[in-house]
Protein backbone atom coordinates (compact mmCIF):
# COMPACT_ATOMS: atom_id res chain seq x y z
CA UNK A 1 0.00 0.00 0.00
CA UNK A 2 1.71 3.17 -1.22
CA UNK A 3 1.59 6.35 0.86
CA UNK A 4 0.76 8.52 -2.17
CA UNK A 5 -2.33 7.55 -4.18
CA UNK A 6 -2.32 7.40 -7.97
CA UNK A 7 -4.78 5.84 -10.42
CA UNK A 8 -3.41 2.48 -11.57
CA UNK A 9 -3.96 3.25 -15.24
CA UNK A 10 -4.53 6.05 -17.73
CA UNK A 11 -4.83 6.16 -21.49
CA UNK A 12 -5.06 8.50 -24.45
CA UNK A 13 -4.66 8.70 -28.18
CA UNK A 14 -1.73 10.31 -30.00
CA UNK A 15 -1.89 14.11 -29.80
CA UNK A 16 -4.21 14.13 -26.79
CA UNK A 17 -3.54 15.66 -23.40
CA UNK A 18 -3.67 13.38 -20.37
CA UNK A 19 -3.30 14.10 -16.67
CA UNK A 20 -2.23 11.81 -13.85
CA UNK A 21 -3.17 12.67 -10.28
CA UNK A 22 -1.28 12.08 -7.05
CA UNK A 23 -2.91 12.46 -3.66
CA UNK A 24 -1.11 12.70 -0.34
CA UNK A 25 -1.34 14.40 3.04
CA UNK A 26 -0.10 17.41 4.98
CA UNK A 27 3.08 15.59 6.00
CA UNK A 28 4.23 14.95 2.44
CA UNK A 29 2.72 16.75 -0.57
CA UNK A 30 1.16 19.41 1.64
CA UNK A 31 4.51 20.62 2.95
CA UNK A 32 7.18 19.43 0.52
CA UNK A 33 8.13 19.38 -3.15
CA UNK A 34 6.58 16.84 -5.52
CA UNK A 35 8.70 14.93 -8.02
CA UNK A 36 7.54 12.85 -11.00
CA UNK A 37 9.31 9.92 -12.65
CA UNK A 38 8.90 8.01 -15.90
CA UNK A 39 9.78 4.33 -15.95
CA UNK A 40 9.92 2.41 -19.21
CA UNK A 41 9.56 -1.39 -18.94
CA UNK A 42 12.66 -2.99 -17.43
CA UNK A 43 14.46 0.29 -16.86
CA UNK A 44 15.24 2.59 -13.95
CA UNK A 45 13.08 5.60 -13.08
CA UNK A 46 13.93 8.81 -14.91
CA UNK A 47 13.24 12.22 -13.39
CA UNK A 48 10.59 14.15 -15.32
CA UNK A 49 9.53 16.92 -12.94
CA UNK A 50 11.25 18.23 -9.81
CA UNK A 51 10.21 20.78 -7.21
CA UNK A 52 6.52 20.60 -8.25
CA UNK A 53 6.82 22.02 -11.74
CA UNK A 54 10.43 22.26 -12.90
CA UNK A 55 11.68 20.25 -15.85
CA UNK A 56 15.28 18.98 -15.79
CA UNK A 57 17.37 19.65 -18.85
CA UNK A 58 16.33 17.42 -21.75
CA UNK A 59 12.74 16.81 -20.65
CA UNK A 60 10.32 18.03 -23.34
CA UNK A 61 7.98 20.87 -22.46
CA UNK A 62 5.07 18.53 -23.25
CA UNK A 63 5.47 17.40 -19.65
CA UNK A 64 4.30 19.72 -16.88
CA UNK A 65 3.60 19.43 -13.17
CA UNK A 66 1.37 21.25 -10.73
CA UNK A 67 0.51 21.09 -7.05
CA UNK A 68 -2.41 22.30 -4.96
CA UNK A 69 -2.71 21.59 -1.27
CA UNK A 70 -2.14 17.88 -0.69
CA UNK A 71 -2.53 16.86 -4.34
CA UNK A 72 -0.42 17.10 -7.45
CA UNK A 73 -0.82 16.39 -11.14
CA UNK A 74 1.34 15.50 -14.10
CA UNK A 75 0.11 16.62 -17.50
CA UNK A 76 1.35 15.26 -20.81
CA UNK A 77 0.29 17.13 -23.91
CA UNK A 78 0.71 16.07 -27.54
CA UNK A 79 0.76 12.43 -26.45
CA UNK A 80 3.21 10.22 -28.36
CA UNK A 81 3.62 6.44 -28.55
CA UNK A 82 6.97 6.65 -26.76
CA UNK A 83 5.22 8.15 -23.73
CA UNK A 84 3.79 4.70 -22.95
CA UNK A 85 5.34 3.96 -19.55
CA UNK A 86 4.74 3.90 -15.80
CA UNK A 87 4.62 7.28 -14.06
CA UNK A 88 5.20 7.72 -10.34
CA UNK A 89 4.99 10.69 -8.00
CA UNK A 90 7.13 11.21 -4.91
CA UNK A 91 7.57 13.63 -2.03
CA UNK A 92 9.51 13.81 1.22
CA UNK A 93 7.40 12.81 4.23
CA UNK A 94 8.11 14.71 7.44
CA UNK A 95 6.52 12.00 9.64
CA UNK A 96 8.44 9.10 8.09
CA UNK A 97 11.70 11.08 7.57
CA UNK A 98 12.03 9.69 4.08
CA UNK A 99 10.63 10.06 0.56
CA UNK A 100 7.31 8.39 -0.20
CA UNK A 101 6.11 7.23 -3.58
CA UNK A 102 2.87 6.66 -5.40
CA UNK A 103 2.02 3.17 -6.63
CA UNK A 104 2.56 4.22 -10.23
CA UNK A 105 0.20 4.86 -13.14
CA UNK A 106 0.54 2.78 -16.29
CA UNK A 107 -0.05 5.04 -19.29
CA UNK A 108 -1.27 3.39 -22.47
CA UNK A 109 -1.20 5.22 -25.80
CA UNK A 110 -4.06 3.80 -27.83
CA UNK B 1 27.40 12.13 -17.53
CA UNK B 2 25.97 10.99 -14.19
CA UNK B 3 26.48 7.29 -13.55
CA UNK B 4 25.35 5.19 -10.62
CA UNK B 5 26.34 1.54 -10.91
CA UNK B 6 25.03 -0.94 -8.35
CA UNK B 7 26.55 -4.30 -7.60
CA UNK B 8 26.30 -7.05 -5.00
CA UNK B 9 22.82 -8.37 -5.65
CA UNK B 10 22.02 -12.06 -5.97
CA UNK B 11 20.29 -15.05 -4.44
CA UNK B 12 20.44 -15.45 -0.66
CA UNK B 13 18.64 -17.70 1.79
CA UNK B 14 16.24 -16.28 4.39
CA UNK B 15 18.20 -15.04 7.38
CA UNK B 16 21.28 -14.41 5.26
CA UNK B 17 23.20 -11.24 4.48
CA UNK B 18 24.23 -9.24 1.43
CA UNK B 19 26.17 -6.04 0.91
CA UNK B 20 25.20 -3.79 -1.97
CA UNK B 21 27.56 -1.21 -3.42
CA UNK B 22 26.96 1.75 -5.70
CA UNK B 23 29.80 3.44 -7.58
CA UNK B 24 29.04 7.06 -8.44
CA UNK B 25 30.61 9.27 -11.12
CA UNK B 26 29.84 12.33 -13.22
CA UNK B 27 28.71 14.56 -10.35
CA UNK B 28 30.07 15.93 -7.07
CA UNK B 29 29.25 12.97 -4.84
CA UNK B 30 29.92 14.84 -1.60
CA UNK B 31 27.17 17.38 -2.37
CA UNK B 32 24.40 14.80 -2.69
CA UNK B 33 22.32 12.79 -0.25
CA UNK B 34 22.22 9.16 -1.32
CA UNK B 35 19.34 6.72 -1.05
CA UNK B 36 18.44 3.12 -1.63
CA UNK B 37 15.00 2.59 -3.14
CA UNK B 38 13.57 -0.82 -3.97
CA UNK B 39 10.91 -2.09 -6.31
CA UNK B 40 9.19 -5.38 -5.57
CA UNK B 41 8.25 -7.46 -8.60
CA UNK B 42 5.39 -5.78 -10.42
CA UNK B 43 4.98 -3.17 -7.68
CA UNK B 44 5.70 0.49 -7.05
CA UNK B 45 8.83 2.09 -5.66
CA UNK B 46 9.57 1.81 -1.93
CA UNK B 47 12.16 3.93 -0.13
CA UNK B 48 14.60 1.92 1.99
CA UNK B 49 17.18 4.31 3.44
CA UNK B 50 18.93 7.66 2.95
CA UNK B 51 22.27 9.07 4.10
CA UNK B 52 23.20 12.74 4.14
CA UNK B 53 26.08 14.21 2.15
CA UNK B 54 28.61 13.88 4.99
CA UNK B 55 27.37 10.48 6.13
CA UNK B 56 26.39 11.73 9.56
CA UNK B 57 22.62 11.64 9.08
CA UNK B 58 20.87 8.38 8.24
CA UNK B 59 17.21 7.41 8.06
CA UNK B 60 15.50 4.07 7.49
CA UNK B 61 12.08 2.77 6.53
CA UNK B 62 10.42 0.92 9.41
CA UNK B 63 10.43 -2.29 7.36
CA UNK B 64 14.24 -2.46 7.39
CA UNK B 65 15.18 -0.63 10.59
CA UNK B 66 17.55 -2.68 12.71
CA UNK B 67 18.39 -5.03 9.83
CA UNK B 68 19.88 -2.77 7.15
CA UNK B 69 22.73 -0.25 7.48
CA UNK B 70 23.46 2.47 4.95
CA UNK B 71 26.92 4.05 4.67
CA UNK B 72 29.07 5.95 2.21
CA UNK B 73 32.74 6.39 1.44
CA UNK B 74 33.20 9.91 0.12
CA UNK B 75 36.85 9.27 -0.69
CA UNK B 76 35.79 6.52 -3.10
CA UNK B 77 32.45 8.00 -4.27
CA UNK B 78 30.71 4.82 -3.18
CA UNK B 79 27.45 4.06 -1.38
CA UNK B 80 26.78 0.86 0.54
CA UNK B 81 23.83 -1.04 1.97
CA UNK B 82 24.55 -3.85 4.42
CA UNK B 83 21.49 -6.10 4.57
CA UNK B 84 21.21 -8.64 7.41
CA UNK B 85 18.44 -11.01 8.52
CA UNK B 86 17.00 -10.98 5.02
CA UNK B 87 13.40 -12.05 4.50
CA UNK B 88 11.55 -13.26 1.37
CA UNK B 89 9.64 -9.95 1.34
CA UNK B 90 12.96 -8.13 0.80
CA UNK B 91 13.09 -9.62 -2.69
CA UNK B 92 13.24 -6.66 -5.07
CA UNK B 93 15.32 -4.64 -7.47
CA UNK B 94 17.39 -2.24 -5.37
CA UNK B 95 18.18 1.15 -6.88
CA UNK B 96 20.89 3.55 -5.77
CA UNK B 97 19.74 7.13 -6.13
CA UNK B 98 21.14 10.65 -5.59
CA UNK B 99 19.25 13.71 -4.32
CA UNK B 100 20.37 17.34 -4.21
CA UNK B 101 19.17 17.57 -0.59
CA UNK B 102 18.29 14.97 2.02
CA UNK B 103 14.68 16.22 2.21
CA UNK B 104 13.77 15.79 -1.46
CA UNK B 105 13.29 12.69 -3.63
CA UNK B 106 16.17 11.60 -5.86
CA UNK B 107 17.25 13.23 -9.10
CA UNK B 108 19.50 10.48 -10.45
CA UNK B 109 19.03 6.70 -10.41
CA UNK B 110 21.20 3.69 -11.09
CA UNK B 111 20.10 0.74 -13.21
CA UNK B 112 19.31 -1.42 -10.19
CA UNK B 113 20.48 -4.76 -8.82
CA UNK B 114 18.19 -7.72 -8.12
CA UNK B 115 18.11 -9.24 -4.65
CA UNK B 116 16.27 -12.56 -4.32
CA UNK B 117 15.67 -14.02 -0.86
CA UNK B 118 14.60 -17.63 -1.20
CA UNK B 119 15.46 -21.09 0.06
Amino acid sequence: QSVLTQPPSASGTPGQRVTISCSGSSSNIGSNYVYWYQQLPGTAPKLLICKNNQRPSGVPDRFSGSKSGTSASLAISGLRSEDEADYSCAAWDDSLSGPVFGGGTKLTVL
Amino acid sequence: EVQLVESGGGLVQPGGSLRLSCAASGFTFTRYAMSWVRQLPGKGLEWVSVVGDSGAATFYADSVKGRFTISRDNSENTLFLQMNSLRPEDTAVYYCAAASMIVVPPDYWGQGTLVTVSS
Side-chain angles (χ1 to χ4, degrees):
Chain A
Q1 197 104 357
S2 301
V3 175
L4 304 181
T5 301
Q6 297 180 235
S9 64
S11 63
T13 57
Q16 263 191 333
R17 182 179 187 271
V18 297
T19 61
I20 297 171
S21 63
C22 175
S23 178
S25 68
S26 58
S27 65
N28 42 65
I29 292 179
S31 53
N32 294 294
Y33 288 125
V34 177
Y35 282 47
W36 288 93
Y37 302 97
Q38 178 192 61
Q39 193 171 16
L40 299 171
T43 69
K46 171 194 168 186
L47 181 63
L48 274 184
I49 298 290
C50 61
K51 297 182 180 180
N52 301 334
N53 54 20
Q54 296 182 27
R55 282 185 309 277
S57 174
V59 174
D61 59 7
R62 301 187 297 106
F63 295 90
S64 62
S66 64
K67 174 183 137 174
S68 178
T70 59
S71 295
S73 291
L74 173 72
I76 309 171
S77 60
L79 201 61
R80 305 173 70 161
S81 58
E82 57 260 40
D83 297 334
E84 193 161 281
D86 287 328
Y87 293 85
S88 297
C89 57
W92 181 266
D93 191 291
D94 294 331
S95 299
L96 300 176
S97 295
V100 291
F101 294 88
T105 298
K106 183 175 179 59
L107 175 64
T108 301
V109 180
L110 301 169
Chain B
E1 179 195 3
V2 171
Q3 282 202 313
L4 295 168
V5 180
E6 301 95 336
S7 60
L11 175 64
V12 62
Q13 292 189 336
S17 298
L18 273 180
R19 188 190 197 209
L20 304 184
S21 300
C22 171
S25 62
F27 65 104
T28 305
F29 185 71
T30 54
R31 292 185 182 174
Y32 281 75
M34 297 298 297
S35 288
W36 289 98
V37 179
R38 66 187 182 186
Q39 188 164 33
L40 281 64
K43 301 294 185 183
L45 299 164
E46 179 188 7
W47 170 70
V48 172
S49 183
V50 63
V51 58
D53 53 8
S54 70
T58 58
F59 299 100
Y60 298 90
D62 286 344
S63 57
V64 306
K65 203 172 291 184
R67 300 187 298 125
F68 291 10
T69 302
I70 191 171
S71 61
R72 63 190 293 164
D73 183 341
N74 284 349
S75 67
E76 296 290 334
N77 288 358
T78 304
L79 175 72
F80 302 100
L81 184 68
Q82 177 65 44
M83 304 187 294
N84 298 330
S85 303
L86 282 162
R87 305 166 179 167
E89 54 264 37
D90 294 319
T91 295
V93 173
Y94 284 73
Y95 293 103
C96 163
S100 57
M101 295 185 290
I102 198 170
V103 291
V104 295
D107 299 319
Y108 307 121
W109 297 69
Q111 85 288 351
T113 186
L114 176 62
V115 172
T116 303
V117 184
S118 174
S119 54

